[in-house]
Amino acid sequence: MQHTKKVRRILLGGAALAAAAGGVTAFLPTASAATPHSPTAGAASSHFRPSHAAPVSIEVFAPERGDNAGADGKGWFVDLELSFHGKTLRQTGFTGPQLTGPAAHGNTAPFPGAFSPGADDRNPGLVVLDSTVTAAAPFSGPGTNLANLFNLTGVTNRTAHETELWDTWIVGDSIAGKDVDSVLTVAVVDDLNHDGIYNDAPSVIRDANHDGRIDAKDLRALGVASDVVEVPFRINGAPAS
């Protein structure tokens, strides 16, 4: 993906959120840093294009592998693109654009959307995990689906061959710790109920193989329409100034 496209995405997300919300303020409890683990060998890179057999491809623009992101454990972005091959907008599960955030910014015109941990009401097939999220309420540890915390969701391309959605989240609090190595994991869950729509992402991913981790293996056991993209990075704990 071209560098200009990445810059465009981040500027779009930041400008829209700043204009609409005056900046996203923290509302979630601060999480202490859990012990991270390294991604499995051979994990997919931030930029994944699957084989023609896979219905969905994912590109994660932020964080990038090895980034030292944020300040005081917050203010970092999760910025991604989902490309649904040969699927209509309805089949992607998309229910409408959103520009949302915590407290007064949630479910507010012109593009309302829910804002809490769990499956996203606007992009209900998406799963986003972070390995250092703890079980402090309202989270359920590293298996918590963070997709419903995304602030900005929209449709960027529709052709006869592909439907493309962009999704952006600015992390407003240190929910995954400070000064900690972390792993972001992203996937689109398969059409588990066979209704022809990617809308079956759960709010919590379980440890399917009982190895004490929630990772790509557990998502694949659940069933995915994409590959599982894992991005190792560090969450910066130093203050902004």
Side-chain angles (χ1 to χ4, degrees), residues 37-108:
H37 66 271
S38 299
T40 55
S45 70
S46 305
H47 303 278
F48 167 70
R49 287 290 181 184
S51 68
H52 293 295
V56 186
S57 60
I58 297 172
E59 295 196 51
V60 177
F61 296 95
E64 291 188 318
R65 297 175 71 89
D67 278 356
N68 186 26
D72 197 29
K74 55 192 174 183
W76 48 281
F77 278 88
V78 180
D79 193 40
L80 57 90
E81 172 190 293
L82 307 174
S83 297
F84 296 80
H85 306 292
K87 304 298 179 182
T88 66
L89 185 59
R90 178 179 179 276
Q91 289 173 313
T92 70
F94 178 80
T95 61
Q98 68 178 343
L99 177 59
T100 189
H105 309 303
N107 277 318
T108 301

Side-chain angles (χ1 to χ4, degrees), residues 10-30:
I10 294 178
L11 289 177
L12 174 64
L17 289 171
V24 176
T25 57
F27 90 111
L28 297 170
T30 300

Side-chain angles (χ1 to χ4, degrees), residues 127-131 133 140-146 202-206 214:
V127 170
V128 177
L129 308 175
D130 190 280
S131 65
V133 170
S140 301
T144 306
N145 186 357
L146 305 172
S203 291
V204 178
I205 302 299
R206 303 299 178 185
I214 309 295

Side-chain angles (χ1 to χ4, degrees), residues 89 92-99 111-113 120-124 152-155 165 167:
L89 185 59
T92 70
F94 178 80
T95 61
Q98 68 178 343
L99 177 59
F111 302 118
D120 190 8
D121 63 328
R122 298 302 180 188
N123 198 4
L152 186 66
T153 307
V155 184
L165 307 178
D167 222 3

Side-chain angles (χ1 to χ4, degrees), residues 159-183:
T159 71
H161 306 290
E162 180 181 85
T163 300
E164 182 183 271
L165 307 178
W166 284 2
D167 222 3
T168 302
W169 172 32
I170 181 171
V171 182
D173 210 339
S174 53
I175 64 169
K178 304 177 183 180
D179 285 324
V180 62
D181 293 325
S182 196
V183 180

